[in-house]
Amino acid sequence: MRVVSLAIAGVSAFCFGFSGPMAKVLGMAGLTPLEAVWIRMAGAGVLLLAVLAAVRPRALRIPRDRLLFFAAYAVIAVAAVQALYFVAITRLPVGVALLIEYTSPVLVVLWVRFVRRLRLPRSAYLGALIAVVGLAIVVQVWDGLRLDALGLLLALIAAACCAGYFLMSDSFGDDVDTLGLIGWAMLGSAVVLLPLSRPWNIDWAAFTRAVEVSGHSVPVAAAAVVLVVVATVVAYATGVTAVRRLSAAVGSTVASVEVIAGALVAWVLLGERLGAAQIAGGVIVLAGALLAQTATVRLGSERHAAEVVETVRV
């Protein structure tokens, strides 16, 4: 089961890795980052809800006592993470903003330990820290370093919201359908982002054109489809599933592999070469993720023991 869960997490990270490269293609076509985010959220929400309405309409049901949770998930776990990051990179180098956002695994393990009061194996803490160090090397945080107070604040809030995504994804019960939650959250985030993204100003004719990428002609519409279907619908569906199977603490650390996946996708599709430091950093991130995933063994045995004790009591 652990191998399957890790495989699902790996698929999620790989799919999320298409986000940056596909958004970059849309940017080359003239769309702003926030416009690309709105296309991504709105397209994924409409697509997923339409599919569910046709094949599994019960998944669209929102329990009355979960309305606030659905709203918070849309605002915090989806809209805020996306918007705050893209605003932060207008004031900070991308590498710095990305590194700060991906300190979320550390925030998750701290929350689980001191708020939920759940004792975690040392591998969970150490794995999260090693992954962050590796990410600092992958994004080459020292290159062109400049700090902006507001940019740092926005990136830190984005990191907290990203941690909220993992924690909230691990907190709901069987009364909430995973795909239904994701679909409503995507559509809700698109509504929340309307004032910022201003989709009425989007140059929709751009989707009929193609852009030159590394000597190849890439249809903008195709990039948008990959961004919506692969990097959003599939990525979020597998990501939430992995978190629920691995726990928020472990799932968030394994998810940091997304940065490596993004670099690899950019290398293959956009011709962006990987330097020696990025490769070394990627190895360190993988080491941290693999170390963190060993925590699933102990967590699983503790949960099993708790279930046995509860059964005996009954």
Side-chain angles (χ1 to χ4, degrees):
M1 182 177 178
R2 183 182 59 164
V3 174
V4 174
S5 300
L6 290 171
I8 295 173
V11 170
S12 176
F14 178 74
C15 290
F16 270 122
F18 282 87
S19 302
M22 295 303 101
K24 188 169 184 178
V25 172
L26 267 60
M28 295 171 66
L31 274 72
T32 67
L34 285 176
E35 288 175 344
V37 167
W38 190 87
I39 291 292
R40 180 185 185 187
M41 297 296 102
V46 171
L47 175 63
L48 187 52
L49 292 178
V51 172
L52 290 176
V55 301
R56 196 165 68 180
R58 292 183 59 183
L60 301 180
R61 187 179 67 87
I62 303 177
R64 287 187 178 181
D65 59 344
R66 290 288 194 172
L67 283 173
L68 185 59
F69 175 78
F70 271 68
Y73 196 92
V75 174
I76 298 173
V78 182
V81 174
Q82 299 290 331
L84 288 171
Y85 169 72
F86 279 110
V87 175
I89 61 176
T90 64
R91 308 183 68 92
L92 294 172
V94 173
V96 174
L98 192 62
L99 176 63
I100 294 174
E101 180 177 346
Y102 272 90
T103 59
S104 56
V106 177
L107 299 178
V108 169
V109 295
L110 291 176
W111 180 277
V112 170
R113 177 64 185 91
F114 295 106
V115 178
R116 291 186 178 176
R117 299 187 181 280
L118 175 65
R119 296 183 65 85
L120 296 172
R122 291 182 180 178
S123 58
Y125 299 98
L126 186 58
L129 290 174
I130 290 175
V132 170
V133 172
L135 287 171
I137 299 174
V138 171
V139 302
Q140 300 183 33
V141 67
W142 58 84
D143 187 20
L145 181 63
R146 64 179 175 83
L147 300 179
D148 175 89
L150 180 57
L152 285 173
L153 178 62
L154 293 173
L156 286 170
I157 298 175
C161 291
C162 188
Y165 157 71
F166 291 109
L167 292 167
M168 294 173 75
S169 296
D170 191 35
S171 66
F172 61 87
D174 294 336
D175 59 327
V176 174
D177 185 273
T178 299
L179 294 180
L181 171 64
I182 296 171
W184 286 119
M186 296 297 170
L187 194 60
S189 66
V191 174
V192 172
L193 292 173
L194 276 173
L196 293 174
S197 300
R198 300 178 182 179
W200 48 85
N201 291 332
I202 293 178
D203 177 18
W204 296 100
F207 294 96
T208 64
R209 299 193 290 266
V211 297
E212 289 294 322
V213 180
S214 299
H216 301 284
S217 180
V218 179
V220 177
V225 169
V226 173
L227 181 64
V228 168
V229 177
V230 177
T232 309
V233 174
V234 178
Y236 271 93
T238 52
V240 175
T241 300
V243 168
R244 294 184 62 75
R245 294 169 68 106
L246 291 169
S247 83
V250 178
S252 61
T253 302
V254 176
S256 62
V257 177
E258 172 195 338
V259 178
I260 303 174
L264 291 174
V265 172
W267 175 40
V268 174
L269 299 183
L270 305 182
E272 297 182 358
R273 294 184 178 180
L274 297 175
Q278 290 177 302
I279 296 174
V283 172
I284 295 174
V285 172
L286 288 174
L290 290 173
L291 179 62
Q293 65 86 23
T294 61
T296 59
V297 177
R298 180 172 168 183
L299 288 174
S301 61
E302 289 180 353
R303 288 176 179 174
H304 177 69
E307 290 174 358
V308 170
V309 170
E310 189 65 25
T311 301
V312 171
R313 287 178 179 175
V314 174

